[in-house]
Each structure stands twice: as structure tokens, then as C-alpha cells.
Amino acid sequence: MKADRPIGVFDSGIGGLTVIHALRRLLPQEDLVYLGDTARLPYGTKSHRTIERYTLQMGELLQRCEPKLIVIACNTASAHGLPALQAVSPCPVIGVIEPGAEAAAEQPGPVGIIGTLATVSSGAYEAAIRRHDPAKVIHSVACPLLVPLAEEGWFDDPVTDSICRRYLNQLPFEAKTVVLGCTHYPTLLASLDRCRPGTRWIDSGLVTAKAVDRLLQGSISYRTASARGELRVQLTDASSRLKEVGNRFLEEPLGDVEVVEI
Ligand code: DGL
């Protein structure tokens, strides 16, 4: 039955496990297949054409498990590859930008966006927010050093605080809502919040999990069994360090990892 097929989730690496964490909490009965392109990460420093090509390849690889829905957990791949994958995929595809943008547009006043270089330079968040609110004032800051800090596990560290402060100080004081426009940033929330207390942080992964729930309520349907769903993790390259970092992002043991050839 189509409803019992897994949801395919892909990311440039293991950061998208923060989105898996959100999906497992909200939709524990769903089977999930996670595909991380660890052989080619990061995507955030690459060009539009390359990111779009990688996104199409990841979408094709996920088709092997016949997903009922594909979630692009990676903000960078959502910014550059979503329309191309939607155009060829046999199943529906959603990215993290639209749900994050919708949540940001609902908040009063100017909003800030933080993300990778490629996400910020795409202007995808701005375009998506302005579809909901054409007059919205938006300030975007690329924060390339935050991905390595999160992977290093420096979640509670003065170095992370000082780098977060340097980036966040580029946002005007009036931007009281800031979108965490990168898979890794939810793990740095304590540090980010210390640097900008009182901010309303929008976790794009969390709001995407809610968007998936809405889609399942509609035509795609929930899995019929009520037992906890399975999580299958596939990576294009698996080093021991990635497993260690993955556990942190998922907030539960990663379990067995399958390596798939691109
Ligand atoms: N997954 C990417 C994102 O959410 C961050 C890591 C990368 O640059 O590949 O934008």
C-alpha cells in the first residue's frame, strides 16, 4: 500500500539528522530512509549547477526505496535543486525553505535569515517570504564557520559564542525573528541565543516536520501500522567520525549505516 512506503529524506551530509529527529518526534510511526551525501559535502560552498545536479542524483538514489514523499532536509539543496527535482520525481518533493519562510512571514517586523553561502546567495528565503508578505523587511547573513563548529560538537564553547556574536551582530537590532536556515544550526541554539537573547528562532527542520504532517493528512496518508517506524540510514561515504557526529545530531544512536555508491 502506498501509505506504508517510507518517507525519503536527503541532505548533503549528516546535518539533516536534525530534521529526522523532528520527524521522528512528530510522526513516530513513519518509516524513514535518510540519505546523506557525505562523500561530497559541503554543498554550501558549491555553485548552483553543481548543487542542482547533486540534488537530482540524490533524488534518483532515493527512488530505489520507492518513497511516498521526498523531503530535502538540506537548506542549500532546497534553495538550488527543489524545482529541478520536483519536475522529474515520480513522488511529491518538499524542501525546508518554504515551511521556514511561511513561519517567518507570519511573525511581525523584520526577519533575519542565517545560512550557508550558497543558500544566502540564492535569495530563495527572501523570494519565498515575499510570496507571503511582499513588504517584509529581510536581512540575510551567510555564516560559513557555523557548520564546522557544529560538526566539531562545540555546542557550549566560548569560541562558538564569539563567532555566533560576530555573525549575528550583522543583523539589525529590529530583526527579532531569525530563521535557522541550515541543518546544523539547531544544535548551536544555546550559543546563538546567548548572543541574541529574546530572539524568536525558527527551526526550518521543525516547521518542515509540521508541513510533512499536513501533507500526510491529505492525499499521501499516514502509515497504517501504529508501531514505531524504522529509520534506515544511507550515506555515500561512512567514516567513524561521521557516526559519532551523527549520534549528536539525531539525539539517539545512529545504528547501522549502509554505504551507497553514487
Ligand atoms: N545541509 C547544509 C544546509 O542545510 C549544510 C551543510 C553543507 O554545506 O552541505 O544548508
Side-chain angles (χ1 to χ4, degrees), residues 11-12 41-44 73-76 116 119 147 181-184:
D11 178 47
S12 57
L41 102 167
Y43 283 14
C74 177
N75 288 258
T76 307
T116 65
T119 296
V147 165
C182 174
T183 46
H184 291 55

Side-chain angles (χ1 to χ4, degrees), residues 121-141:
S121 64
S122 74
Y125 267 109
E126 284 89 339
I129 291 173
R130 293 217 169 95
R131 278 197 290 276
H132 295 280
D133 181 354
K136 198 73 167 169
V137 176
I138 306 161
H139 303 273
S140 303
V141 178

